[in-house]
Amino acid sequence: MFHLSPSILAADFTRLGEQVNQIEQAGADWVHIDVMDGLFVPSISFGMPVIQSLRPATKLFFDVHLMIQEPIRYIGEFKKAGADLITIHAEACEDIGATIQAIREAGCKVGLSINPETEVSVVEPWISKVDMILLMSVHPGFGGQKFIEETLDKIRAVRSMINGQNPSCDLEVDGGIHLGNVAEVVEAGVNVVVAGTAVFKGDIAQNVAGFRSVMK
Ligand code: DX5
Ligand code: ZN
């Protein structure tokens, strides 16, 4: 099953609720929420209060991408704020297993992410224990960057690991995805696509419809 997860990092924050309703009406089923701490990544975005205010405004599935150092410290709070799925970075955790377990115990689905320079062998031992692998196709920290082409080979490699070990595990790609390259990443094996700039800049409904025509 395909999921389109527009990243609100590219939304107009003065009209956040309205724009999230627009993506929902246009056919997105997930919303991607990028949390940055200024340590794991060079930028700071937003945290629990924003997620908490959005929660009653929409039925979308909250795909929370934690770009924070030692996310284990905050799992309970993100669950309480409304997260459905919490994705952590392998590079940011002292103990990946304990962090995965903390997310499960909080009652959320679990995602594990790696940066562009991290080998896919890092996620391999965890595939049977998580609900989603997220492959970053830009260096995390900012929206609007260019897709790193080498990600295509990583997608193919992780797709074959998933098919072998845990076929119901989702595979998400994040960064630099637009209508010109979404078919290629889907073809390579992802079933969850994050898009920030390509959804929120311009006509949101038309952009979502464009993605949906490829992801069906
Ligand atoms: C980058 C974030 C991405 C970003 C995607 O650190 O994790 O989710 O918002 O934005 P675009 O689609 O504009 O590359
Ligand atoms: Zn993200």
Side-chain angles (χ1 to χ4, degrees):
M1 166 139 193
F2 287 117
H3 303 289
L4 176 62
S5 195
S7 167
I8 58 167
L9 195 61
D12 172 354
F13 293 127
T14 65
R15 300 165 52 217
L16 188 54
E18 193 187 313
Q19 294 201 337
V20 165
N21 288 328
Q22 273 178 274
I23 60 167
E24 187 169 12
Q25 273 154 28
D29 54 336
W30 287 21
V31 60
H32 187 81
I33 300 175
D34 284 310
V35 178
M36 304 178 182
D37 68 351
L39 281 172
F40 180 67
V41 289
S43 191
I44 297 176
S45 57
F46 47 74
M48 301 79 160
V50 171
I51 302 174
Q52 204 175 337
S53 353
L54 267 183
R55 189 62 282 184
T58 174
K59 290 196 168 57
L60 289 170
F61 181 84
F62 277 16
D63 166 25
V64 176
H65 179 193
L66 296 184
M67 286 162 276
I68 69 179
Q69 205 59 44
E70 289 305 339
I72 196 165
R73 297 173 296 155
Y74 294 106
I75 301 306
E77 289 182 61
F78 281 105
K79 163 66 183 174
K80 210 157 51 170
D84 292 303
L85 175 147
I86 296 179
T87 297
I88 50 154
H89 269 264
E91 305 89 351
C93 301
E94 176 92 30
D95 187 338
I96 296 174
T99 314
I100 290 174
Q101 199 184 327
I103 299 173
R104 283 250 177 271
E105 279 167 11
C108 288
K109 291 201 160 193
V110 187
L112 180 64
S113 181
I114 50 170
N115 284 338
E117 66 277 7
T118 302
E119 301 285 335
V120 295
S121 57
V122 170
V123 299
E124 191 164 21
W126 303 106
I127 285 178
S128 60
K129 300 181 173 62
V130 299
D131 302 294
M132 187 178 82
I133 299 293
L134 163 53
L135 294 175
M136 287 305 302
S137 43
V138 298
H139 295 285
F142 304 95
Q145 303 181 72
K146 192 177 172 301
F147 178 79
I148 297 171
E149 293 291 331
E150 286 73 20
T151 316
L152 289 168
D153 284 338
K154 292 174 84 176
I155 294 172
R156 290 184 198 104
V158 176
R159 169 50 65 194
S160 88
M161 293 174 191
I162 286 177
N163 288 350
Q165 294 179 41
N166 181 10
S168 63
C169 182
D170 289 312
L171 180 55
E172 180 177 63
V173 68
D174 181 10
I177 307 295
H178 50 77
L179 288 174
N181 61 10
V182 61
E184 216 176 356
V185 294
V186 166
E187 173 82 7
V190 305
N191 70 301
V192 187
V193 168
V194 176
T197 312
V199 165
F200 286 99
K201 302 302 175 210
D203 185 328
I204 293 176
Q206 208 175 307
N207 294 337
V208 168
F211 276 99
R212 274 304 186 195
S213 69
V214 178
M215 300 167 61
K216 55 182 187 202

